[in-house]
Amino acid sequence: MANEIEKVNTIAIADIEKFNGKTDDNIEKLNAFEFAGLASTFYGSRAVFHVPTGGADANILSYKTVGSSSDSLDFGDLQTSRTKGASAGSNITRGIFSGGNKGSSWGTDDTDYITVGTLGNGTNFGDLDTICGLGTQGGCSNGTLLFTVGGFAVIDSANVYLDRMEYFTIASTGDGTDAGNLVDGRSNIGIGSDGLSRYIVAGGKNSSWASTDVIQYNDFSTSANTSDFGDLSDVAYAGSGAVESLTRVVMGLGRRTASETYVNTLEYITVASTGNSQDFGDLSLARSEAGGVSDGTNGDFIGGNVSGSVGASSNIIDTMTIASTGNATDVADLLEGSSDGRASTVSPLSGT
């Protein structure tokens, strides 16, 4: 079966559903042409990440092959330095890093893009609609859109936990566009997707400085609010990254508020079916705010904060197989030596 509909309409398949307001199942009937449907695929295994170190702003980008035992290597620099927490996502060729905490200014709306396959510095993409700082937002992409959600901001001298969501169209430079809302304002969230239709937002801190176990989801709509999905096994914030396949998200719980306990717990979520998370295994080291990258088969957890003095951090890169429950294995180290704050990461992913 050929995708004749794309040739006739001269519109990319990924956009046809948006224009017609129909699901994949109805597109062929509506247009009277053959339509093979959409399938998400991970392309390549190079991951690029921004990893701040020692509590200081940094613009360093590093890269490695997901699942390999090789240490990270220098990729280039972002336009501006930041301490942590940019939202990040990609399509087949382009990666985006948006926002993040930025020293005494609390946050930045700077948004950069890179070509994942070519070493070099970030280039201006546009700006966030809302500046997020300490606590940071989460980012997730499906190969067409990058959604950046939640976060913490200082607005009119007040500390505000944000329920905002906005999105970027990865292929086209420009500013973020306001979307729907989370169920409540929160920062320090965990976020992952199935790479095509649905993303998961889990845990985080709310305006009462309390952690939550709530999991919510959205279907990469540019306007809808999130809906309840289920619960984590425990309240958690400052999640330790997330890695994903076409069916499963594996997420580190990071830290628990009541005792400020750092944990090595990994849990998984079957994205297509609402419900609670399930035990997956453990990281090699208890930590929070690690980055997560994946190639659809393997997942790496990069750096993170560890228990101890402010700024205590880890240079560990753990890897695991997403389809098989079990513990992650320490296989490599960061180029920078340590990570203080969440690593923002992109790896080639397409929804077509």
Coordinates of all heavy atoms in Angstrom, one line a residue, residues 179-254:
A179 N -0.1 26.6 24.8 CA -1.0 25.4 24.6 C -2.0 25.3 25.8 O -2.5 26.2 26.3 CB -0.1 24.1 24.4
G180 N -2.2 24.0 26.2 CA -3.1 23.8 27.3 C -2.4 23.9 28.6 O -1.4 24.6 28.8
N181 N -3.0 23.2 29.7 CA -2.4 23.4 31.0 C -2.3 22.0 31.7 O -3.1 21.1 31.4 CB -3.3 24.2 31.9 CG -3.4 25.7 31.3 OD1 -4.5 26.1 30.8 ND2 -2.4 26.4 31.5
L182 N -1.3 21.9 32.6 CA -1.3 20.8 33.5 C -2.4 20.8 34.5 O -3.1 21.8 34.6 CB 0.1 20.8 34.3 CG 1.4 20.8 33.4 CD1 2.6 21.0 34.3 CD2 1.5 19.4 32.7
V183 N -2.6 19.7 35.2 CA -3.7 19.7 36.2 C -3.4 20.7 37.3 O -4.4 21.1 38.0 CB -3.9 18.2 36.8 CG1 -4.3 17.3 35.7 CG2 -2.6 17.7 37.5
D184 N -2.2 21.0 37.6 CA -1.8 22.0 38.6 C -0.4 22.5 38.3 O 0.3 22.0 37.4 CB -1.9 21.5 40.0 CG -1.0 20.3 40.3 OD1 -0.2 20.0 39.4 OD2 -1.1 19.7 41.4
G185 N 0.0 23.6 38.9 CA 1.3 24.2 38.7 C 2.3 23.3 39.4 O 2.1 22.9 40.6
R186 N 3.4 23.0 38.7 CA 4.5 22.1 39.3 C 5.8 22.3 38.6 O 5.8 22.7 37.4 CB 4.0 20.7 39.3 CG 3.8 20.0 38.0 CD 3.4 18.6 38.1 NE 2.1 18.5 38.8 CZ 1.6 17.3 39.1 NH1 2.2 16.2 38.9 NH2 0.4 17.2 39.7
S187 N 6.8 22.0 39.3 CA 8.2 22.0 38.7 C 8.8 20.7 39.1 O 8.3 19.8 39.7 CB 9.0 23.2 39.2 OG 9.3 23.0 40.6
N188 N 10.1 20.5 38.6 CA 10.9 19.3 38.9 C 10.2 18.0 38.6 O 10.1 17.0 39.3 CB 11.2 19.3 40.4 CG 12.0 20.5 40.9 OD1 11.4 21.4 41.3 ND2 13.3 20.4 40.8
I189 N 9.6 18.0 37.4 CA 8.8 16.9 36.9 C 9.6 15.8 36.2 O 10.7 16.1 35.7 CB 7.6 17.3 36.0 CG1 8.2 18.1 34.8 CG2 6.7 18.2 36.8 CD1 7.1 18.5 33.8
G190 N 9.1 14.6 36.0 CA 9.6 13.6 35.1 C 8.7 13.6 33.9 O 7.5 13.8 34.0
I191 N 9.3 13.4 32.7 CA 8.5 13.5 31.4 C 9.1 12.6 30.4 O 10.3 12.4 30.3 CB 8.4 15.0 30.9 CG1 7.5 15.1 29.7 CG2 9.8 15.5 30.6 CD1 7.1 16.5 29.4
G192 N 8.2 11.9 29.7 CA 8.7 11.0 28.6 C 7.5 10.7 27.7 O 6.3 11.1 28.0
S193 N 7.7 10.0 26.6 CA 6.6 9.8 25.6 C 6.8 8.4 24.8 O 7.8 7.8 25.0 CB 6.6 10.9 24.6 OG 7.6 10.7 23.6
D194 N 5.8 8.1 24.0 CA 6.0 7.0 23.1 C 6.6 7.4 21.7 O 6.6 6.6 20.8 CB 4.6 6.3 22.9 CG 3.6 7.2 22.2 OD1 3.9 8.3 21.9 OD2 2.4 6.7 22.0
G195 N 7.0 8.6 21.6 CA 7.6 9.1 20.4 C 6.7 9.5 19.3 O 7.1 9.9 18.2
L196 N 5.4 9.4 19.5 CA 4.5 9.7 18.4 C 3.2 10.4 18.9 O 3.0 11.6 18.5 CB 4.0 8.4 17.6 CG 3.0 8.7 16.5 CD1 3.6 9.6 15.4 CD2 2.6 7.3 15.9
S197 N 2.5 9.8 19.8 CA 1.1 10.4 20.1 C 0.9 10.9 21.5 O 0.1 11.8 21.7 CB 0.1 9.3 19.8 OG 0.3 8.2 20.6
R198 N 1.6 10.3 22.5 CA 1.3 10.6 23.9 C 2.5 10.9 24.7 O 3.5 10.2 24.5 CB 0.5 9.5 24.5 CG 0.2 9.6 25.9 CD -0.7 8.4 26.4 NE -2.1 8.6 25.9 CZ -3.1 7.8 26.2 NH1 -2.9 6.8 27.1 NH2 -4.3 7.9 25.7
Y199 N 2.5 11.9 25.6 CA 3.5 12.1 26.5 C 3.0 12.0 28.0 O 1.8 12.3 28.2 CB 4.4 13.3 26.3 CG 3.6 14.7 26.4 CD1 3.6 15.3 27.6 CD2 3.1 15.3 25.2 CE1 3.0 16.6 27.7 CE2 2.5 16.5 25.3 CZ 2.4 17.1 26.5 OH 1.8 18.4 26.6
I200 N 3.9 11.7 28.9 CA 3.6 11.4 30.3 C 4.3 12.4 31.1 O 5.5 12.7 31.0 CB 4.0 10.0 30.7 CG1 3.4 8.9 29.8 CG2 3.8 9.7 32.2 CD1 1.9 8.8 30.0
V201 N 3.6 13.0 32.1 CA 4.2 14.0 33.1 C 4.0 13.4 34.4 O 2.8 13.1 34.8 CB 3.6 15.3 33.0 CG1 4.2 16.3 34.0 CG2 3.7 15.9 31.6
A202 N 5.0 13.2 35.2 CA 4.9 12.4 36.5 C 5.6 13.2 37.6 O 6.7 13.7 37.4 CB 5.5 11.0 36.4
G203 N 5.0 13.1 38.8 CA 5.6 13.7 40.0 C 5.8 15.2 39.9 O 5.2 15.9 39.2
G204 N 6.7 15.7 40.8 CA 7.0 17.1 40.8 C 6.7 17.7 42.1 O 6.1 17.1 43.0
K205 N 7.0 19.0 42.2 CA 6.6 19.8 43.4 C 5.5 20.8 43.0 O 5.6 21.4 41.9 CB 7.8 20.6 43.9 CG 8.7 19.8 44.9 CD 9.8 20.8 45.4 CE 10.6 20.0 46.5 NZ 11.7 20.9 47.0
N206 N 4.6 21.1 43.9 CA 3.6 22.1 43.7 C 3.7 23.3 44.6 O 4.8 23.4 45.2 CB 2.2 21.4 43.9 CG 2.0 20.9 45.3 OD1 2.6 21.4 46.3 ND2 1.1 19.9 45.5
S207 N 2.8 24.2 44.6 CA 2.9 25.5 45.2 C 3.0 25.3 46.8 O 3.4 26.3 47.4 CB 1.7 26.4 44.9 OG 0.5 25.7 45.3
S208 N 2.7 24.2 47.3 CA 2.8 24.0 48.8 C 4.2 23.4 49.1 O 4.4 23.0 50.2 CB 1.7 23.0 49.3 OG 0.4 23.6 49.0
W209 N 5.1 23.3 48.1 CA 6.4 22.8 48.2 C 6.3 21.3 48.6 O 7.1 20.7 49.3 CB 7.2 23.5 49.3 CG 8.7 23.2 49.3 CD1 9.5 22.7 50.2 CD2 9.6 23.5 48.2 NE1 10.8 22.6 49.9 CE2 10.9 23.1 48.6 CE3 9.5 24.1 46.9 CZ2 12.0 23.3 47.8 CZ3 10.6 24.2 46.1 CH2 11.8 23.8 46.6
A210 N 5.2 20.7 48.1 CA 5.0 19.2 48.4 C 5.2 18.4 47.2 O 4.8 18.9 46.1 CB 3.6 19.1 49.0
S211 N 5.7 17.2 47.3 CA 5.8 16.3 46.2 C 4.5 15.7 45.9 O 3.6 15.6 46.7 CB 6.9 15.3 46.4 OG 8.2 15.8 46.6
T212 N 4.4 15.2 44.7 CA 3.1 14.5 44.3 C 3.5 13.2 43.6 O 4.6 13.0 43.1 CB 2.3 15.4 43.3 OG1 1.1 14.7 42.9 CG2 3.1 15.8 42.1
D213 N 2.5 12.2 43.6 CA 2.7 11.0 42.9 C 1.9 10.9 41.7 O 1.8 9.9 41.0 CB 2.3 9.8 43.9 CG 0.9 9.8 44.3 OD1 0.1 10.8 44.0 OD2 0.5 8.9 45.1
V214 N 1.2 12.0 41.3 CA 0.3 12.0 40.2 C 1.0 11.9 38.9 O 2.0 12.6 38.6 CB -0.6 13.3 40.2 CG1 -1.4 13.4 39.0 CG2 -1.5 13.4 41.5
I215 N 0.5 11.0 38.0 CA 0.9 10.9 36.6 C -0.2 11.5 35.7 O -1.4 11.1 35.9 CB 1.2 9.5 36.2 CG1 2.2 8.8 37.1 CG2 1.7 9.4 34.8 CD1 2.3 7.3 36.9
Q216 N 0.1 12.3 34.8 CA -0.9 12.9 33.9 C -0.4 12.7 32.4 O 0.8 12.4 32.2 CB -1.2 14.3 34.2 CG 0.1 15.2 34.3 CD -0.2 16.5 34.9 OE1 -1.0 17.3 34.4 NE2 0.4 16.8 36.1
Y217 N -1.2 12.9 31.5 CA -0.8 12.7 30.1 C -1.5 13.7 29.1 O -2.5 14.2 29.5 CB -1.0 11.3 29.6 CG -2.5 10.9 29.3 CD1 -3.0 11.0 28.0 CD2 -3.4 10.5 30.4 CE1 -4.3 10.7 27.8 CE2 -4.7 10.2 30.1 CZ -5.2 10.3 28.8 OH -6.5 10.0 28.6
N218 N -0.9 13.8 28.0 CA -1.5 14.6 26.9 C -1.1 13.9 25.6 O -0.1 13.2 25.5 CB -0.9 16.0 26.9 CG -1.7 17.0 26.0 OD1 -2.9 16.8 25.8 ND2 -1.0 18.0 25.5
D219 N -1.9 14.1 24.6 CA -1.7 13.4 23.3 C -1.1 14.3 22.2 O -1.5 14.3 21.1 CB -3.1 12.8 22.8 CG -3.5 11.6 23.6 OD1 -2.7 10.9 24.2 OD2 -4.7 11.4 23.7
F220 N -0.1 15.1 22.6 CA 0.6 16.0 21.7 C -0.4 16.9 20.9 O -0.2 17.2 19.8 CB 1.5 15.2 20.7 CG 2.8 14.8 21.3 CD1 3.1 13.5 21.7 CD2 3.8 15.8 21.5 CE1 4.3 13.2 22.3 CE2 5.0 15.4 22.1 CZ 5.3 14.1 22.5
S221 N -1.5 17.2 21.6 CA -2.4 18.2 21.0 C -1.8 19.5 21.3 O -1.2 19.8 22.3 CB -3.8 18.0 21.7 OG -4.6 19.2 21.5
T222 N -2.1 20.5 20.4 CA -1.6 21.8 20.6 C -2.5 22.7 21.5 O -2.2 23.9 21.7 CB -1.4 22.5 19.3 OG1 -2.6 22.5 18.6 CG2 -0.3 21.8 18.5
S223 N -3.6 22.1 22.0 CA -4.5 22.9 22.7 C -5.1 22.3 24.0 O -5.6 22.9 24.9 CB -5.7 23.4 21.8 OG -6.4 22.3 21.3
A224 N -5.1 20.9 24.0 CA -5.8 20.2 25.1 C -5.0 20.3 26.4 O -3.8 20.4 26.5 CB -6.0 18.8 24.7
N225 N -5.7 20.2 27.5 CA -5.1 20.1 28.9 C -4.8 18.6 29.1 O -5.3 17.7 28.4 CB -6.1 20.6 29.9 CG -6.5 22.0 29.8 OD1 -5.7 22.8 29.3 ND2 -7.7 22.4 30.3
T226 N -3.9 18.4 30.1 CA -3.5 17.0 30.4 C -4.7 16.4 31.2 O -5.6 17.0 31.7 CB -2.3 17.0 31.3 OG1 -2.5 17.8 32.5 CG2 -1.1 17.5 30.6
S227 N -4.7 15.0 31.2 CA -5.7 14.2 31.9 C -5.0 13.3 32.9 O -3.8 13.0 32.7 CB -6.5 13.4 30.9 OG -7.1 14.2 30.0
D228 N -5.7 12.8 33.9 CA -5.1 11.9 34.9 C -4.8 10.6 34.2 O -5.6 10.0 33.4 CB -6.1 11.7 36.0 CG -5.5 10.8 37.1 OD1 -4.5 11.2 37.7 OD2 -6.0 9.7 37.3
F229 N -3.6 10.0 34.5 CA -3.2 8.8 34.0 C -3.1 7.7 35.0 O -3.5 6.5 34.8 CB -1.8 9.0 33.4 CG -1.2 7.8 32.6 CD1 -1.4 7.7 31.2 CD2 -0.5 6.8 33.3 CE1 -1.0 6.6 30.5 CE2 -0.1 5.7 32.6 CZ -0.3 5.6 31.2
G230 N -2.6 8.0 36.2 CA -2.4 7.0 37.3 C -1.5 7.6 38.4 O -1.4 8.9 38.5
D231 N -0.8 6.8 39.1 CA 0.1 7.3 40.2 C 1.4 6.6 40.1 O 1.5 5.4 39.8 CB -0.5 7.0 41.5 CG -1.8 7.8 41.7 OD1 -1.9 9.0 41.3 OD2 -2.8 7.2 42.3
L232 N 2.5 7.3 40.6 CA 3.8 6.6 40.9 C 3.6 5.8 42.2 O 2.6 6.0 42.9 CB 4.8 7.7 41.1 CG 5.2 8.6 39.9 CD1 6.1 9.7 40.3 CD2 5.9 7.7 38.8
S233 N 4.6 5.0 42.5 CA 4.5 4.2 43.8 C 4.7 5.1 45.0 O 4.3 4.7 46.1 CB 5.6 3.2 43.8 OG 6.9 3.8 43.9
D234 N 5.2 6.3 44.9 CA 5.4 7.2 46.0 C 5.5 8.6 45.5 O 5.8 8.9 44.3 CB 6.8 6.8 46.7 CG 6.9 7.4 48.1 OD1 6.0 8.1 48.5 OD2 7.9 7.1 48.8
V235 N 5.4 9.6 46.4 CA 5.5 11.0 46.0 C 7.0 11.2 45.6 O 7.9 10.6 46.3 CB 5.1 12.0 47.1 CG1 3.6 11.8 47.3 CG2 5.9 11.7 48.4
A236 N 7.3 12.0 44.6 CA 8.7 12.2 44.2 C 8.8 13.5 43.4 O 7.8 14.0 42.8 CB 9.1 11.0 43.2
Y237 N 10.0 14.1 43.5 CA 10.3 15.3 42.7 C 11.7 15.2 42.3 O 12.5 14.3 42.7 CB 10.0 16.6 43.5 CG 11.0 17.0 44.4 CD1 11.9 18.0 44.1 CD2 11.2 16.4 45.7 CE1 12.9 18.5 45.0 CE2 12.2 16.8 46.5 CZ 13.0 17.8 46.2 OH 14.0 18.2 47.1
A238 N 12.1 16.2 41.4 CA 13.5 16.2 40.9 C 13.8 14.9 40.3 O 14.9 14.3 40.6 CB 14.5 16.6 42.0
G239 N 12.9 14.4 39.5 CA 13.1 13.1 38.9 C 14.4 12.8 38.3 O 15.1 13.7 37.8
S240 N 14.8 11.6 38.2 CA 16.1 11.2 37.7 C 16.0 10.8 36.3 O 16.4 9.7 35.9 CB 16.7 10.1 38.6 OG 18.1 10.0 38.3
G241 N 15.5 11.7 35.4 CA 15.5 11.4 34.0 C 14.4 10.4 33.6 O 13.8 9.7 34.4
A242 N 14.2 10.3 32.3 CA 13.3 9.3 31.7 C 13.8 8.9 30.3 O 14.4 9.7 29.6 CB 11.9 9.9 31.5
V243 N 13.7 7.6 30.1 CA 14.1 7.0 28.8 C 12.8 6.3 28.2 O 11.9 5.9 28.9 CB 15.3 6.0 28.9 CG1 16.5 6.8 29.4 CG2 15.0 4.9 29.8
E244 N 12.8 6.1 26.9 CA 11.6 5.6 26.3 C 11.8 4.7 25.1 O 12.8 4.8 24.4 CB 10.8 6.8 25.9 CG 11.5 7.8 25.0 CD 11.2 9.2 25.3 OE1 10.6 9.6 26.3 OE2 11.5 10.1 24.4
S245 N 10.8 3.9 24.8 CA 10.7 3.1 23.6 C 9.3 3.5 23.0 O 8.7 4.5 23.4 CB 10.7 1.6 23.9 OG 9.5 1.2 24.6
L246 N 8.9 2.8 22.0 CA 7.6 3.1 21.3 C 6.4 2.7 22.2 O 5.3 3.1 21.9 CB 7.5 2.4 20.0 CG 8.6 2.7 19.0 CD1 8.4 2.0 17.7 CD2 8.7 4.2 18.7
T247 N 6.7 2.0 23.3 CA 5.6 1.6 24.1 C 5.7 1.9 25.6 O 4.8 1.9 26.3 CB 5.4 0.0 24.0 OG1 6.6 -0.6 24.4 CG2 5.0 -0.4 22.6
R248 N 7.0 2.2 26.0 CA 7.2 2.2 27.5 C 8.1 3.5 27.8 O 9.0 3.8 27.1 CB 7.9 1.0 27.9 CG 8.5 0.9 29.3 CD 9.1 -0.4 29.6 NE 8.2 -1.5 29.8 CZ 8.5 -2.7 30.2 NH1 9.8 -3.0 30.4 NH2 7.6 -3.7 30.3
V249 N 7.8 4.1 29.0 CA 8.7 5.1 29.5 C 9.2 4.6 30.9 O 8.5 4.1 31.7 CB 7.9 6.4 29.8 CG1 8.8 7.4 30.6 CG2 7.5 7.1 28.5
V250 N 10.6 4.6 31.0 CA 11.2 4.2 32.3 C 11.7 5.5 32.9 O 12.4 6.3 32.3 CB 12.4 3.2 32.1 CG1 13.0 2.8 33.4 CG2 11.9 2.0 31.3
M251 N 11.4 5.7 34.2 CA 11.6 7.0 34.9 C 12.2 6.8 36.2 O 11.9 5.9 37.0 CB 10.2 7.7 35.0 CG 10.3 9.1 35.4 SD 8.6 9.9 35.3 CE 8.3 9.9 33.5
G252 N 13.2 7.6 36.6 CA 13.8 7.6 37.9 C 13.0 8.5 38.8 O 12.6 9.6 38.5
L253 N 12.7 8.1 40.1 CA 12.0 8.9 41.0 C 12.7 10.0 41.6 O 12.2 11.1 42.0 CB 11.4 8.0 42.1 CG 10.4 6.9 41.7 CD1 9.7 6.4 43.0 CD2 9.4 7.4 40.7
G254 N 14.1 9.9 41.7 CA 14.9 11.0 42.1 C 14.9 11.3 43.6 O 15.8 10.8 44.3

